[in-house]
Amino acid sequence: MKVLILPDEQAAMQRAADIVARTVTATPDAVLGLATGGTMLPLYEALAQRHREDGLSFTKTTSFNLDEYIGLAPDHPCSYHSYMQEAFFRHVDIDPARAHLPKGDAPDPQAASLEYEALIAAAGGIDLQLLGIGQNGHIGFNEPTASLGSRTRVKTLTTSTRRANQRYFASFEDTPRYAITMGVATILASRACVLLATGDAKADAVMRMVEGPLSAACPASALQLHASATVILDKAAAGALTFTDYYENVHPGGRDSAFD
Ligand code: GLP
């Protein structure tokens, strides 16, 4: 894992934006894996700004989001379809026909999950997967004890995840219990992945992901098996790491010779 520690949230987010921009510029028809969550909002803003001001184009790009709540129609204001529309898609030139999310309102969510995997395969797999991390170590909605060999499927959300996401809904009871999510093995099959984490609430999960044992108890720790995983942190999210001197020695100031 490459661990890049940036001075603050803004710098971390710009570093992640650099990697997306370089991927899309080098390979305009790249297949991106996209993530939701509060952490990603400033990243999407930065990419939209680069689209407006620097001509960064997504016209040939294909995207697949990690997850979607079950039971929410795409036009539900709390769906991840709506999140992506508002945060990113409507601000850039991506072709809506190539911007995919799991169908949370499908009559048969398990069948929809298998179709989603097939769609990713038909697109040639994911070139660059963006990831956030839950405070409990989840990636996508792969909650603790998720199979590390899992593919896109239905997952039951933990109470802690529902509580963390309750702020977007009217109440805890209104917060969905189930989601369709790419599996851990789906994520590991991406050719490269970038996980962005900011703030001290993520410090413990980040430590378990990077330096903890490889365990389904922390699904993000499966990224230790990924051949090209970059973890981009601000100082707060890096606060519980042990080998910080080493990371800063290898990547001073969060620089990475592959991108600088
Ligand atoms: C959500 C999403 C994840 C995201 C995580 C962190 O539940 N399913 O993909 O990484 O929680 O969200 P946030 O960035 O708001 O902390």
Side-chain angles (χ1 to χ4, degrees):
M1 274 178 167
K2 281 182 188 172
V3 179
L4 311 184
I5 303 173
L6 282 296
D8 54 31
E9 181 188 347
Q10 176 68 12
M13 178 270 292
Q14 289 294 349
R15 164 54 83 213
D18 290 346
I19 296 175
V20 177
R22 280 176 196 231
T23 300
V24 171
T25 304
T27 314
D29 61 350
V31 179
L32 299 180
L34 299 179
T36 51
T39 311
M40 294 295 148
L41 289 172
L43 169 61
Y44 291 132
E45 257 175 57
L47 291 172
Q49 186 179 10
R50 291 179 193 210
H51 168 67
R52 278 195 309 275
E53 294 173 10
D54 309 332
L56 178 65
S57 175
F58 297 88
T59 43
K60 295 186 176 150
T61 307
T62 297
S63 71
F64 289 94
N65 263 78
L66 282 166
D67 45 19
E68 178 58 288
Y69 292 115
I70 288 185
L72 301 193
D75 63 356
H76 187 289
C78 299
S79 72
Y80 283 161
H81 279 77
S82 294
Y83 169 107
M84 289 307 300
Q85 199 54 37
E86 286 306 308
F88 187 49
F89 295 153
R90 76 186 184 89
H91 303 289
V92 295
D93 55 356
I94 194 164
D95 178 353
R98 273 202 289 265
H100 307 280
L101 287 95
K103 293 188 171 66
D105 61 344
D108 183 345
Q110 197 49 45
S113 303
L114 295 175
E115 282 165 24
Y116 200 65
E117 276 288 324
L119 217 52
I120 295 171
I126 291 170
D127 293 306
L128 178 67
Q129 176 68 57
L130 289 180
L131 295 164
I133 185 168
Q135 290 179 33
N136 65 0
H138 74 212
I139 43 175
F141 271 131
N142 294 285
E143 299 282 37
T145 71
S147 161
L148 302 186
S150 52
R151 291 281 175 172
T152 305
R153 72 220 182 286
V154 175
K155 276 299 287 180
T156 304
L157 306 184
T158 61
T159 301
S160 72
T161 292
R162 290 179 67 214
R163 287 207 195 288
N165 292 351
Q166 179 183 342
R167 64 190 190 277
Y168 300 110
F169 295 86
S171 68
F172 179 71
E173 276 314 306
D174 285 336
T175 309
R177 288 169 186 275
Y178 305 100
I180 297 178
T181 180
M182 283 187 201
V184 177
T186 317
I187 293 166
L188 290 180
S190 60
R191 283 181 271 280
C193 68
V194 169
L195 186 143
L196 178 61
T198 54
D200 54 13
K202 298 294 173 68
D204 182 61
V206 165
M207 182 274 290
R208 292 195 296 131
M209 163 177 66
V210 177
E211 297 177 346
L214 171 61
S215 166
C218 177
S221 69
L223 297 179
Q224 294 172 22
L225 293 171
H226 199 295
S228 179
T230 302
V231 176
I232 301 180
L233 307 171
D234 65 359
K235 287 218 182 292
L241 293 172
T242 304
F243 305 117
T244 311
D245 287 354
Y246 177 68
Y247 309 134
E248 289 184 333
N249 187 21
V250 180
H251 300 292
R255 284 192 289 282
D256 176 4
S257 54
F259 298 108
D260 293 309

